[in-house]
Amino acid sequence: MIATLVQLAAEGGHAEEQNPLIPPGPELLVGTIAFAIVFFFFWKKLLPNINKVLEERREKIEGGIENAEAMQAEAQSVLEQYKAQLAEARHEAARLRQEAQEQGAQLIAEMRAEGQRQREEIVAAGHAQIEADRKAASSALRQDVGALATTLAGKLVGESLDDHARQSRVIDRFLDELEEKAEATR
């Protein structure tokens, strides 16, 4: 077949002048056969490899897009969880702050009540002490005034008033009269 093509090519060279855009017949035939061989090789060997590479690349791209969408959905889910946790933490902090304020107010009220109770105890103890001191001072004063009055009365009367019972009665009567006069003037 190649020999025929070569023979045709040799004969074609003597022909009349041809159109320069159209190649001579044998060249056209050899070019067509070479093109068919190259096309067949590309179609059987190269085209499946190219399609396979293109398919793998398309799958990677689609897989990447799916992965990106999945990651975006996961990121959105994590963001929503974070926002929910943040809102919950803020709510918990507000609750704790409110609880602390309530406990603080309760502690202050308890401390005021305890302070008031202690103050009242101290005042009552002070009043009791003052009353005891007043009674002791009154008793001591009665005795001193009684002794002075007895001595003075003894000097005025000219006799000794050593009788203790009588002395005590006179002193008590005298002091009671003084207290009544003091209260009446108030």
Side-chain angles (χ1 to χ4, degrees):
M1 182 161 161
I2 294 182
T4 342
L5 288 174
V6 173
Q7 185 180 9
L8 284 174
E11 289 175 3
H14 294 44
E16 301 173 4
E17 221 176 279
Q18 292 187 343
N19 185 355
L21 294 177
I22 300 176
E27 277 184 30
L28 189 59
L29 185 63
V30 170
T32 304
I33 292 172
F35 177 75
I37 292 171
V38 170
F39 180 76
F40 182 76
F41 173 74
F42 277 129
W43 184 57
K44 282 292 188 183
K45 296 288 183 186
L46 210 52
L47 191 60
N49 288 339
I50 292 172
N51 284 338
K52 185 174 120 181
V53 168
L54 288 176
E55 184 65 26
E56 287 174 358
R57 192 179 261 177
R58 185 182 61 79
E59 287 175 2
K60 279 184 181 180
I61 291 171
E62 288 176 357
I65 291 172
E66 290 173 0
N67 285 342
E69 289 173 352
M71 291 178 100
Q72 186 176 9
E74 184 180 344
Q76 187 67 27
S77 171
V78 168
L79 179 63
E80 293 300 323
Q81 288 176 353
Y82 170 73
K83 286 180 180 179
Q85 288 175 351
L86 184 60
E88 184 179 329
R90 285 181 180 157
H91 178 70
E92 181 69 16
R95 185 187 65 77
L96 289 174
R97 191 172 30 254
Q98 179 67 25
E99 189 176 298
Q101 287 174 348
E102 290 171 0
Q103 287 178 352
Q106 182 180 5
L107 273 172
I108 289 172
E110 288 174 1
M111 295 303 282
R112 282 184 182 159
E114 179 66 20
Q116 184 70 19
R117 186 189 62 76
Q118 287 178 355
R119 184 183 68 84
E120 288 172 1
E121 286 178 0
I122 291 170
V123 168
H127 284 301
Q129 184 65 37
I130 290 172
E131 185 62 27
D133 289 346
R134 187 186 66 78
K135 284 181 181 178
S138 174
S139 176
L141 184 63
R142 276 180 182 255
Q143 289 174 356
D144 290 344
V145 169
L148 287 174
T150 305
T151 306
L152 182 62
K155 286 184 182 180
L156 285 177
V157 174
E159 31 180 286
S160 175
L161 299 173
D162 287 337
D163 183 13
H164 190 40
R166 192 171 23 151
Q167 180 183 7
S168 184
R169 281 192 308 263
V170 170
I171 293 171
D172 285 339
R173 195 172 1 126
F174 176 73
L175 289 177
D176 287 339
E177 287 174 8
L178 281 178
E179 283 180 2
E180 286 175 7
K181 286 180 183 177
E183 285 179 10
T185 60
R186 282 186 193 172

